[in-house]
Amino acid sequence: MASTLSKTTISFTTLPSSSPSPKPLLRFAPFSIPNTPSRSQRRSLRISAALSDTAAAAEPFASRFALDEPRKGADILVEALERQGVTDVFAYPGGASMEIHQALTRSAAIRNVLPRHEQGGVFAAEGYARSSGLPGVCIATSGPGATNLVSGLADAMLDSVPLVAITGQVPRRMIGTDAFQETPIVEVTRSITKHNYLVLDIDDIPRIVNEAFFLATSGRPGPVLIDIPKDIQQQLAIPRWDQSIRLPGYTARLPKSPNENLLEIIVRFLLESKKPVLYVGGGCLNSSEELRRFVELTGVPVASTLMGLGAYPVGDEKSLQMLGMHGTVYANYAVDKCDLLLAFGVRFDDRVTGKLEAFASRAKIVHIDIDSAEIGKNKQPHVSVCADLKLALRGINRLLESRGLGKKLDFRGWREELNEQKKRFPLSYKTFEEEICPQYAIEVLDELTNGDAIVSTGVGQHQMWAAQFYKYKRPRQWLTSGGLGAMGFGLPAAMGAAVANPGAVVVDIDGDGSFMMNVQELATIKVEKLPVKILLLNNQHLGMVVQWEDRFYKSNRAHTYLGDPSNENAIFPNMLKFADACGIPAARVAKKGELRGAMQKMLDTPGPYLLDVIVPHQEHVLPMIPSNGTFQDVITEGDGRQSY
């Protein structure tokens, strides 16, 4: 494949490493398209056409233009998106991007879901991508429109979400003159995108769009930005659709098939182990079937990161649920006591490891990851495989099956030890008389939806409770901002998921602080008729910061109260009025006995719905391992009703 590619003209940005390294490494690795919901099945990625004339010939594209008909650059861009199989974009217009919007009105294939803020648009594109496995597409104008995408791009970079962001730019002759609404968005986003482009030649549009989708979806997925000056959008040209991508340096560095000898060593480690544990992350989302087969063959218990929830069914008997700062006691116990840590599709994040020296200190570590930059970055493994995890797991499973080795593995004693920990330290919570515990609200939602809903969240306590108390059954069911921790993510992400998965139950479990940050998207879900259900856990505070104030700052409140100080008995602001302003039905519930009925009504009501659930601000997310702590430091008791 590489031999057919011509010389590249792009440069790559190296990423910083926290450990010394003789040379910088790049983020990259192989790609596989996961099973996706019904709407996504109707949209097939066509990036292979950039590499294969056969693929292009097998699936001819019907253009609305004649082959030799000149058309605007904006129309070339939109047709390039159509050729990628794009059916939905999240685009907010402005002066430098209005030509693109005019072209979108001429497309019969692409629907624009109009967000009410560019940040809402990029988070919606993320929700689309996270829930479907396909690249999300967002479009914004120059200047403030482009800079409003920054948080979403950083979020997609940290959580490895395939995203193509397109921005309008001032005309080429005005670049660098501090023109109206000019920002150098390529420079602004260089370190928070996998790659970005400034289009300076209209003839490059077809190739650049091909490359952008290939980069966003191959290897370790991530965001790619395309910045297009307005004069290029207006210029006329006849596009050449047969241009090959020009990324020889990138494609040459994509990991190859996993080394069979290394897979043999991993199997040998398994045979020698008495207490193995799987530590699985977001890199497992495309390999869920292979992961389940591996667990079926070996009986190894599974602990998941925040990003990996759903890759293995949370409710399964071999699941230890989430590990890390707010993970279960038994998941963290397993990692602390194990003799073999199988780290699959993870990056040893600080919220998981705590004090690195003490993390899995008794274990041999096997690290399989698609990104070579993550191997040994934080924790040095005994065996590492830089490869597509799907291929690696298939290889390991094949070895286990062909030699009947699964029958030789017996970890029942180890699982019984962990089951004792489950009995001693179950996820639990205390009651607040007739007040509604937030954990109870999520348990009721799990029960009423049979664990089948697509769940998005904002960031904070509600996010952790949603991770702990909803039993995710499958990958891409759980959408949350993990690495960046971006408040305001929940509602627009649910919006994107609803677009990608028509007919699915989509619930935004949100906190009042996070919800307020993108509350304007209520207008979008109403106008677009998106049946997003909002379960708002309203405690009138920035709950997670309050918890840290309680634990480490003697409960001194430093601007964490979100209500009206002049009337603390009132619920402020009145979230029901926000919903009413957008014509969305809403209700408030404050007593435990009324919750189930109110939630059932929310789920039964057609279209969007907001349920404002008033919860006590004194509740804490437990268990909790303090930052840079160890398993021995785990906190399992207490809340804001007592002093520390």
Side-chain angles (χ1 to χ4, degrees), residues 400-429:
L400 292 168
E401 291 167 337
S402 64
R403 302 176 188 178
L405 297 177
K407 298 174 183 177
K408 298 181 181 180
L409 299 172
D410 184 2
F411 303 123
R412 282 176 295 182
W414 170 229
R415 290 201 301 272
E416 287 171 8
E417 182 180 338
L418 296 178
N419 285 337
E420 282 300 313
Q421 292 296 311
K422 286 185 178 183
K423 292 174 185 175
R424 287 185 61 198
F425 300 102
L427 282 176
S428 61
Y429 51 91

Side-chain angles (χ1 to χ4, degrees), residues 438-458:
Q439 302 95 319
Y440 173 71
I442 294 167
E443 285 183 328
V444 172
L445 178 69
D446 179 56
E447 180 185 335
L448 294 180
T449 59
N450 194 32
D452 287 323
I454 295 173
V455 173
S456 71
T457 74

Side-chain angles (χ1 to χ4, degrees), residues 490-551:
L491 178 57
M495 184 169 84
V499 172
N501 302 272
V505 177
V506 180
V507 182
D508 168 30
I509 300 176
D510 226 328
D512 47 315
S514 279
F515 178 68
M516 287 284 290
M517 288 199 172
N518 272 312
V519 69
Q520 75 283 340
E521 299 310 329
L522 287 173
T524 307
I525 63 173
K526 171 61 177 179
V527 170
E528 298 290 341
K529 298 179 173 62
L530 299 174
V532 172
K533 312 300 183 184
I534 303 156
L535 181 64
L536 186 59
L537 302 180
N538 188 347
N539 66 5
Q540 297 283 282
H541 289 75
L542 288 173
M544 187 61 84
V545 186
V546 166
Q547 177 170 332
W548 282 57
E549 286 175 338
D550 287 342
R551 294 281 176 174

Side-chain angles (χ1 to χ4, degrees), residues 73-212:
D75 286 298
I76 296 172
L77 172 69
V78 169
E79 183 167 326
L81 294 177
E82 292 173 346
R83 288 170 178 266
Q84 294 295 332
V86 173
T87 56
D88 303 280
V89 298
F90 303 88
Y92 197 91
S97 66
M98 59 188 301
E99 287 284 355
I100 300 172
H101 283 262
Q102 290 294 313
L104 284 170
T105 66
R106 297 188 281 272
S107 171
I110 298 177
R111 166 196 184 188
N112 180 37
V113 177
L114 176 66
R116 268 41 180 188
H117 190 287
E118 291 91 353
Q119 186 181 93
V122 67
F123 283 159
E126 274 201 86
Y128 186 104
R130 289 173 188 254
S131 64
S132 70
L134 296 168
V137 180
C138 60
I139 303 173
T141 191
S142 63
T147 55
N148 279 341
L149 300 180
V150 167
S151 291
L153 294 172
D155 190 61
M157 187 69 174
L158 283 166
D159 287 353
S160 306
V161 178
L163 200 69
V164 175
I166 299 168
T167 52
Q169 183 55 276
V170 299
R172 285 172 293 178
R173 68 184 182 279
M174 298 172 69
I175 292 176
T177 67
D178 294 333
F180 176 67
Q181 290 192 334
E182 180 195 359
T183 54
I185 198 62
V186 165
E187 302 304 321
V188 170
T189 62
R190 189 178 300 280
S191 62
I192 54 169
T193 51
K194 194 173 177 185
H195 189 62
N196 51 34
Y197 295 89
L198 173 61
V199 182
L200 295 175
D201 188 333
I202 190 172
D203 293 330
D204 288 338
I205 292 176
R207 174 184 58 80
I208 285 174
V209 172
N210 267 347
E211 289 181 3

Side-chain angles (χ1 to χ4, degrees), residues 283-346:
C284 290
L285 294 179
N286 291 348
S287 313
S288 179
E289 184 179 336
E290 291 78 10
L291 176 65
R292 294 183 196 205
R293 179 58 180 158
F294 176 82
V295 176
E296 181 184 331
L297 288 168
T298 64
V300 176
V302 185
S304 173
T305 68
L306 181 72
M307 296 304 301
L309 288 171
Y312 188 81
V314 170
D316 187 84
E317 63 177 359
K318 295 185 183 70
S319 171
L320 302 172
Q321 298 181 250
M322 188 171 69
L323 80 164
M325 176 177 281
H326 293 296
T328 63
V329 170
Y330 38 91
N332 288 317
Y333 174 94
V335 171
D336 188 62
K337 303 298 182 186
C338 72
D339 60 12
L340 176 63
L341 183 71
L342 300 170
F344 291 174
V346 297

Side-chain angles (χ1 to χ4, degrees), residues 482-495:
L484 190 67
M487 293 175 67
F489 178 84
L491 178 57
M495 184 169 84

Side-chain angles (χ1 to χ4, degrees), residues 49 63 123 134 145 159 174 205 217 260 273-274 304 317 322 334 386 468-469 558 598 607 618 621:
S63 174
F123 283 159
L134 296 168
D159 287 353
M174 298 172 69
I205 292 176
T217 54
E260 193 80 11
S273 174
K274 302 296 182 187
S304 173
E317 63 177 359
M322 188 171 69
C386 183
Q468 292 175 335
F469 287 91
Q618 296 93 339
V621 179

